[in-house]
Amino acid sequence: MLSSLQLNRIFKRKKAQKLALLIAAAYVVIVFIMSILANYIAPYNPYTVNLNQIFLPPSFKHIMGTDYLGRDVFSRIIYGARYSLGASVIAVALALFIGSIIAFTTAYIGGYLDRAFNVVMDTMYTFPLILIAIMIAFVIGKGFFNVAVSVAIAETPRFYRVVRSSVVSVKNRGFIESARLSNIPLRVIIYRHILLLVIPPLAVMSALTMSDAILSISILGFLSLGIPPPIPEWGADLSVNRSALLVGAWWALTFPGLMILVTSFAFLLISEMYNEITIKGAGEI
Amino acid sequence: MESQHEVIKLIDISKHFIQRKSMFSSEKIVIKAVDNINLSVNEGEVLALVGESGSGKTTTGRLAVRLENPTKGKIIFEGTEITNLPLKIFNKKFRTKMQMIFQDPFEYLDPELKVYYLIAEPLIYNTDMSEQEIKNTVYQMMEDVQLTPVEDLTNRRPMELSGGQRQRILIARALILNPKFVVADEPTSMLDASTQMGVLQVIRKMQLKHKNSILFITHDMALAKYVSNRIAVMYKGKIIEIGNSKDVIANPLHPYTKALLEALPKLKPITSEKTVHILPEKKVFSYSYKGCVFAERCIYADERCLSEEPQLVEATPGHKVACFYFEKLNKIKD
Amino acid sequence: MKESLLKIENLKMHYRTSEGDVKAIDGISLNIDYGEIVGLVGESGCGKSSLAYTLMRSLSPNGIIKDGRIFLENTEILSMPEKVFRTDIVWKMISLIPQGAMNSLDPLYKVEYQIKETLLAHNFKGDPKPLIDELLKFVDLHPSVLDMYPHQLSGGMKQRITILISMLFKPKLIIADEPTTALDVLTQEHILKLIRKTVKDLGISLILISHDLPIVVENSNKIAIMYAGKIIEYAATDQILKNPKHPYTVGLLYSHPDIESEKEEFVYIPGKPPSLKSNFTGCRFYDRCPIASSICKKEEPKLEEVSPGHYVACHNFDKVIKEIWNHSMKS
């Protein structure tokens, strides 16, 4: 038996979780707004090269200093949000859309079709992202949209699985049999249920995948498989500024790196906290 | 009063499942959930199918409404063989005439739907009734099954209702299309004792009003006696005794039926120790189906019982039993 | 006066939830003598299983004992330090056959291992083999079951093993929480026979918790009827049968067909028990009671002795006869 003290601690934890969710969500919203209003917020043009001002440390003129081509790091980060976040959103949206549609139709039909796609999706899931990106880059080249597609392909199986498990779980419920007995078509029942059942896990999965996608886009950018320079993508910037290590210009690497980390983590927090709060786990009173 | 017109007839029905013996062996075992049973329900009668878990009674019920297909045998409904009828034709012509009242009032009701719609649904998808006609029919049905006050309950969802009320919805759904044949699969076993009779009375009342034929599945002999005209007792997939309810209970002929009645708790304190004439269960279920299914637990079993399977024979008019020695055991005088 | 084995005084236990307190046990008093079976009957949601866990002091984390005392042979056990309670009382003096016991056996381990594990957990010293053999004989199981996994055994056998485990330290009191639910009639009787033998031959007392009144009637010396967290009637079994004094008891008695009688009329109690989260004023059975009067709405009836050994909590107990339910009896 727990004392009142211990019970209070559990209630406090819930409050802390709600607070964390709020902060993470607020951060994400700010970054989104930042990316949209980049034109108005950024102090400089992110593409303006000034070889006289290479690797200037942070100052009032350049809050985050300048990079290896004298470009303002802060402006590059603000504009970079468009590309890093933008590509991630497209990737997640594609994966969600395609994964859900395939899952819904094949799981509803069932039988061989369902099993076949299950195998296909499992196989897709085993392909490492880098490999997919290389193949795509080889076939259709690099670029903003292409890198989004690579990530989408890598993440589709996750959404497929979520939707499929929801469909399958509804399919085997007792009231489905009762509906069969009244000649009610299966699709009617599934439509009725699937939306409510599938939205929470899809929301969690989307946030989680966003977190993943931001990292992935950055990694691909870093490896020069993604969005090509001079576009101010956070990951690409990490790569092109590697000479900063030689001269101790930590700001050119730290700030883009931090953005990747913090933004990715914010989405992770959102998905975790949403999970904790809405889904009642063991120990929940 | 029941006529002799058979509404549904199960002929030599079997349902076998094949399983591998274990994950690593390729040896197959056959599980005979239902084995060669013959059953018929007459118009307007209630036939109770009594058995314990594993007896095959639920499977038999599901086979009878074609929720599952038999491995062998024929099912004849109102003179037409429906066993191998293509699903589309079956659904169109027969589905609405054969319904089931399920056991679980939690799982078998769609939690998203309101009460009104739960009862109206079968009408919507199977008739061309107008909205007003449907409304009238549903309201009448709700009155009949005592889902009252009707106005109040139509807009509720299942989880706001009690177990007894939910079971009434299941009954309403099953009976709204006025089926000729209904299988009631332990409709009260998940309800509290104080509400069971309410639900049973509803079923009884509806049956008397509409003259449906009912196959009432239960493990409770006392309930079977109260609710049915005839009782069939099942054990490990076979019918071992069948007859008029009063006969079977007053004069059980099969050792298993006798044991069941002896073991049944009665509402009086034990004065002398209760004896149930049955052997304790063996530790492993053997999948060999040789001889009488009850032999391994029967205290009277002999060589013949272990090797030969007894068939159902008529002991007294209308009362059949599957046991070689029923005469000796009951000292029946002709 | 003979000393009771167990004396429960005004026990109150609540579950704290985010939606308020669930008053599972709301003032229960009970006496259990040596060598007797006391049946506890109630329908779903009345709090009877909670009593079992409270007695064993193994409630879930949000279960809080709000009031009351429990005396085991004159020692108060609720205030006992946790450690002492666990070493001296649990399984040694009081043991439990939990609800769904058959499924409480760990599927990954053989039976023998699980029995030995329980022995070790309670500091058994010495060679367990003669004890286990003796108990196996008592519960009518062949020693070969020791070498088996739970899934290889039938429901009845698993239940007998959990009974065996509850008897390992020869406790004075066993709490059997729905020991026969999910078992077939034949197996059920076999288990109950074993329970009766345990009490008769070993002098162990037993609290038999069940929602099934006939089982409790057949097997108990005394019966307590629970409703919405309270005991509303408590008397010797034959008194409950011949002279029930609470409307709910009468309802329960006549709610099920009895194989031996020809009667065709049964009671059906409309409605459902109140939620244990509610705040109660007056009698909890008021909404469903056919003879409720104005005092019943205002004042909660106390459990009082109305004839020797017969306790009831009802303002109108003297008006209780079978006929009060006539309006809901139809055949």
Side-chain angles (χ1 to χ4, degrees):
Chain A
M1 275 184 293
L2 291 182
S3 64
S4 309
L5 199 68
Q6 286 166 304
L7 277 170
N8 274 330
R9 249 191 262 161
I10 294 176
F11 290 132
K12 275 211 180 95
R13 194 177 79 201
K14 291 278 163 194
K15 278 205 169 135
Q17 284 173 342
K18 289 200 175 102
L19 190 63
L21 178 58
L22 220 62
I23 294 177
Y27 172 82
V28 164
V29 169
I30 291 174
V31 173
F32 264 108
I33 294 179
M34 192 173 80
S35 68
I36 296 172
L37 301 176
N39 291 334
Y40 304 101
I41 304 179
Y44 298 88
N45 185 322
Y47 295 100
T48 312
V49 172
N50 193 336
L51 295 171
N52 285 334
Q53 308 197 336
I54 304 175
F55 285 142
L56 286 179
S59 62
F60 279 125
K61 264 185 99 184
H62 297 276
I63 312 177
M64 292 185 178
T66 60
D67 71 349
Y68 84 115
L69 287 181
R71 302 176 292 199
D72 179 42
V73 172
F74 184 53
S75 305
R76 281 187 74 79
I77 284 190
I78 294 178
Y79 273 93
R82 282 191 182 172
Y83 301 96
S84 301
L85 225 57
S88 304
V89 168
I90 293 177
V92 171
L94 272 175
L96 176 76
F97 192 64
I98 296 175
S100 303
I101 300 237
I102 295 180
F104 188 85
T105 41
T106 61
Y108 156 67
I109 295 172
Y112 288 120
L113 196 66
D114 179 40
R115 278 190 287 213
F117 267 94
N118 215 10
V119 171
V120 166
M121 283 292 162
D122 276 350
T123 316
M124 254 170 86
Y125 206 29
T126 64
F127 271 80
L129 169 69
I130 313 284
L131 197 62
I132 298 176
I134 293 176
M135 292 197 293
I136 298 271
F138 189 69
V139 173
I140 41 176
K142 305 181 211 175
F144 176 77
F145 193 66
N146 298 1
V147 75
V149 166
S150 304
V151 175
I153 293 175
E155 307 283 12
T156 302
R158 293 172 127 174
F159 290 99
Y160 166 84
R161 280 192 187 165
V162 164
V163 174
R164 180 174 180 274
S165 80
S166 296
V167 174
V168 163
S169 74
V170 169
K171 252 185 124 175
N172 294 323
R173 297 290 299 278
F175 52 81
I176 301 291
E177 204 167 54
S178 173
R180 269 212 283 158
L181 222 50
S182 311
N183 273 336
I184 299 172
L186 184 60
R187 65 183 140 79
V188 169
I189 315 290
I190 295 201
Y191 274 149
R192 198 184 285 156
H193 281 271
I194 203 63
L195 242 52
L196 276 108
L197 222 69
V198 105
I199 286 177
L202 275 186
V204 170
M205 191 51 87
S206 301
L208 199 61
T209 312
M210 271 302 286
S211 163
D212 216 40
I214 288 172
L215 283 176
S216 306
I217 301 274
S218 309
I219 290 170
L220 293 177
F222 182 79
L223 295 173
S224 305
L225 284 169
I227 299 171
I231 295 179
E233 196 263 312
W234 299 335
D237 270 5
L238 278 180
S239 168
V240 298
N241 280 307
R242 65 185 96 90
S243 47
L245 291 167
L246 297 170
V247 294
W250 56 270
W251 50 93
L253 294 170
T254 309
F255 292 116
L258 264 181
M259 279 311 281
I260 299 171
L261 213 71
V262 174
T263 314
S264 167
F265 186 69
F267 278 106
L268 188 67
L269 257 185
I270 292 176
S271 90
E272 273 294 308
M273 292 303 125
Y274 183 74
N275 209 17
E276 282 277 318
I277 289 167
T278 53
I279 297 164
K280 292 192 157 59
E284 162 70 53
I285 295 165
Chain B
M1 271 275 75
E2 73 261 27
S3 67
Q4 284 311 303
H5 163 67
E6 285 171 349
V7 165
I8 187 162
K9 197 175 165 92
L10 272 63
I11 302 178
D12 290 337
I13 287 286
S14 297
K15 179 82 182 170
H16 296 172
F17 297 100
I18 302 180
Q19 259 186 21
R20 270 191 299 174
K21 197 162 184 187
S22 75
M23 209 162 61
F24 298 106
S25 92
S26 51
E27 211 182 304
K28 299 237 168 83
I29 30 170
V30 179
I31 298 178
K32 299 188 182 176
V34 175
D35 196 36
N36 255 329
I37 60 163
N38 287 281
L39 202 61
S40 59
V41 185
N42 299 321
E43 183 153 0
E45 93 166 317
V46 179
L47 172 65
L49 194 55
V50 180
E52 301 185 303
S53 64
S55 60
K57 57 188 195 299
T58 304
T59 312
T60 306
R62 292 170 63 88
L63 287 167
V65 282
R66 222 189 135 160
L67 273 178
E68 285 183 42
N69 290 316
T71 318
K72 275 189 295 186
K74 294 199 280 195
I75 303 176
I76 302 192
F77 180 76
E78 296 256 276
T80 319
E81 185 182 338
I82 57 165
T83 347
N84 293 312
L85 220 51
L87 203 58
K88 260 193 160 165
I89 302 179
F90 174 78
N91 280 341
K92 195 149 180 250
K93 293 180 82 180
F94 294 101
R95 177 34 86 222
T96 56
K97 303 199 184 136
M98 312 168 79
Q99 288 291 304
M100 187 154 182
I101 301 172
F102 294 97
Q103 180 182 25
D104 190 337
F106 302 88
E107 254 308 279
Y108 279 83
L109 285 179
D110 191 329
E112 303 297 328
L113 293 181
K114 296 196 180 153
V115 172
Y116 175 81
Y117 199 70
L118 281 167
I119 303 176
E121 224 184 12
L123 291 173
I124 298 175
Y125 287 93
N126 289 291
T127 65
D128 331 296
M129 289 167 90
S130 72
E131 211 177 299
Q132 187 58 44
E133 284 174 320
I134 293 182
K135 188 168 179 201
N136 292 339
T137 318
V138 170
Y139 275 41
Q140 179 60 48
M141 176 59 87
M142 284 178 76
E143 292 275 359
D144 285 346
V145 302
Q146 291 172 359
L147 268 172
T148 50
V150 175
E151 284 297 337
D152 188 31
L153 292 179
T154 42
N155 279 315
R156 301 267 187 93
R157 292 209 161 79
M159 55 183 176
E160 301 170 55
L161 305 178
S162 70
Q165 287 171 312
R166 279 188 258 206
Q167 194 64 288
R168 286 177 171 76
I169 300 177
L170 279 181
I171 296 171
R173 255 181 91 96
L175 298 180
I176 193 109
L177 291 165
N178 210 2
K180 270 235 117 164
F181 176 61
V182 180
V183 172
D185 186 6
E186 303 212 57
T188 57
S189 60
M190 293 195 71
L191 303 175
D192 282 334
S194 57
T195 47
Q196 279 185 6
M197 287 321 282
V199 170
L200 272 169
Q201 279 161 4
V202 162
I203 296 178
R204 223 177 183 224
K205 197 179 76 169
M206 297 299 284
Q207 194 263 339
L208 288 168
K209 181 174 171 187
H210 298 288
K211 309 270 185 297
N212 334 75
S213 311
I214 300 191
L215 181 66
F216 192 91
I217 301 174
T218 179
H219 63 271
D220 186 336
M221 273 294 213
L223 218 59
K225 177 185 170 197
Y226 170 69
V227 102
S228 66
N229 309 105
R230 287 194 298 147
I231 294 182
V233 182
M234 272 187 89
Y235 185 80
K236 292 225 165 74
K238 291 208 163 291
I239 296 181
I240 49 99
E241 187 162 356
I242 182 168
N244 283 329
S245 309
K246 296 206 160 65
D247 272 347
V248 172
I249 304 244
N251 260 327
L253 298 174
H254 197 282
Y256 176 65
T257 318
K258 289 193 222 233
L260 267 186
L261 289 166
E262 281 165 353
L264 208 63
K266 292 134 195 126
L267 215 61
K268 58 178 188 225
I270 295 186
T271 42
S272 55
E273 190 47 60
K274 241 166 106 155
T275 351
V276 177
H277 292 92
I278 193 169
L279 296 177
E281 35 180 0
K282 283 225 182 86
K283 45 182 173 14
V284 178
F285 179 68
S286 59
Y287 291 103
S288 64
Y289 293 92
K290 215 159 166 249
C292 175
V293 275
F294 187 62
E296 63 176 6
R297 298 200 67 186
C298 185
I299 61 177
Y300 310 106
D302 69 2
E303 289 298 307
R304 188 181 180 201
C305 303
L306 291 170
S307 53
E308 219 185 297
E309 189 190 317
Q311 301 299 316
L312 274 171
V313 290
E314 192 161 52
T316 57
H319 193 162
K320 295 192 191 148
V321 64
C323 175
F324 296 123
Y325 302 110
F326 73 88
E327 283 160 329
K328 214 168 44 168
L329 295 173
N330 296 286
K331 302 190 184 65
I332 289 193
K333 309 164 208 106
D334 258 292
Chain C
M1 201 174 68
K2 202 172 73 169
E3 162 196 302
S4 330
L5 170 63
L6 189 77
K7 211 161 131 75
I8 304 175
E9 274 179 16
N10 201 26
L11 185 63
K12 289 192 180 160
M13 193 278 289
H14 297 184
Y15 289 111
R16 286 264 294 266
T17 73
S18 44
E19 292 153 18
D21 277 12
V22 175
K23 305 179 198 71
I25 301 176
D26 206 16
I28 287 194
S29 302
L30 207 59
N31 275 6
I32 298 170
D33 289 330
Y34 290 89
E36 76 172 356
I37 303 184
V38 173
L40 188 60
V41 184
E43 296 181 309
S44 47
C46 72
K48 55 191 196 294
S49 280
S50 300
L51 186 61
Y53 288 106
T54 310
L55 287 171
M56 296 288 284
R57 282 176 61 170
S58 61
L59 290 166
S60 57
N62 62 332
I64 302 181
I65 296 182
K66 283 271 181 179
D67 200 2
R69 297 185 296 178
I70 302 177
F71 292 95
L72 181 65
E73 286 187 329
N74 282 331
T75 319
E76 210 285 319
I77 56 175
L78 286 180
S79 55
M80 215 182 242
E82 176 95 15
K83 200 155 186 262
V84 179
F85 184 78
R86 297 246 159 263
T87 35
D88 291 350
I89 308 286
V90 172
W91 237 249
K92 309 261 173 65
M93 296 280 279
I94 308 181
S95 72
L96 174 69
I97 302 168
Q99 194 169 45
M102 317 184 285
N103 298 318
S104 72
L105 291 175
D106 193 328
L108 294 178
Y109 296 99
K110 292 189 181 175
V111 169
E112 182 168 22
Y113 180 88
Q114 299 193 46
I115 297 178
K116 289 198 173 149
E117 204 183 34
T118 312
L119 286 169
L120 274 171
H122 292 97
N123 298 317
F124 182 82
K125 304 263 187 296
D127 182 18
K129 190 165 180 338
L131 171 66
I132 298 179
D133 283 342
E134 176 198 342
L135 285 173
L136 277 172
K137 262 215 246 13
F138 190 82
V139 303
D140 201 20
L141 279 174
H142 194 267
S144 57
V145 299
L146 287 174
D147 200 36
M148 295 200 179
Y149 289 96
H151 68 264
Q152 295 173 282
L153 304 169
S154 72
M157 292 173 171
K158 284 190 275 194
Q159 192 66 318
R160 272 178 276 165
I161 290 178
T162 51
I163 295 177
L164 182 153
I165 293 180
S166 78
M167 289 170 57
L168 283 172
F169 292 90
K170 303 248 181 352
K172 296 244 166 70
L173 175 69
I174 298 181
I175 306 168
D177 189 1
E178 304 267 13
T180 58
T181 315
L183 293 176
D184 300 320
V185 169
L186 291 171
T187 318
Q188 189 175 276
E189 172 51 29
H190 200 163
I191 296 289
L192 288 168
K193 196 173 174 138
L194 172 60
I195 288 179
R196 292 195 293 269
K197 185 169 103 161
T198 308
V199 171
K200 184 155 172 258
D201 293 356
L202 302 177
I204 299 180
S205 296
L206 196 108
I207 300 180
L208 180 62
I209 302 177
S210 178
H211 63 276
D212 192 333
L213 188 57
I215 288 181
V216 174
V217 163
E218 273 199 342
N219 292 285
S220 320
N221 306 100
K222 300 214 277 269
I223 299 181
I225 313 250
M226 248 182 112
Y227 187 81
K230 289 190 112 51
I231 294 183
I232 50 103
E233 188 161 0
Y234 177 47
T237 306
D238 63 320
Q239 275 300 299
I240 296 274
L241 283 176
K242 285 188 268 187
N243 228 345
K245 291 195 193 295
H246 195 287
Y248 181 63
T249 313
V250 176
L252 277 186
L253 281 170
Y254 293 101
S255 68
H256 195 86
D258 189 38
I259 197 92
E260 305 203 316
S261 79
E262 290 299 321
K263 67 172 185 259
E264 290 268 311
E265 289 183 326
F266 301 99
V267 174
Y268 145 64
I269 308 179
K272 56 179 169 171
S275 156
L276 294 170
K277 286 192 203 138
S278 350
N279 285 316
F280 297 105
T281 39
C283 177
R284 297 174 188 201
F285 194 61
Y286 179 77
D287 292 334
R288 306 167 80 191
C289 183
I291 55 169
S293 53
S294 51
I295 186 177
C296 302
K297 192 160 188 186
K298 288 184 288 200
E299 203 183 299
E300 180 158 23
K302 291 203 179 358
L303 191 67
E304 280 167 344
E305 190 167 17
V306 297
S307 58
H310 195 147
Y311 300 78
V312 70
C314 177
H315 293 299
N316 296 312
F317 72 89
D318 45 349
K319 301 193 191 66
V320 171
I321 46 172
K322 177 185 168 220
E323 282 66 31
I324 61 175
W325 287 105
N326 272 348
H327 65 282
S328 67
M329 286 201 190
K330 297 152 232 162
S331 68

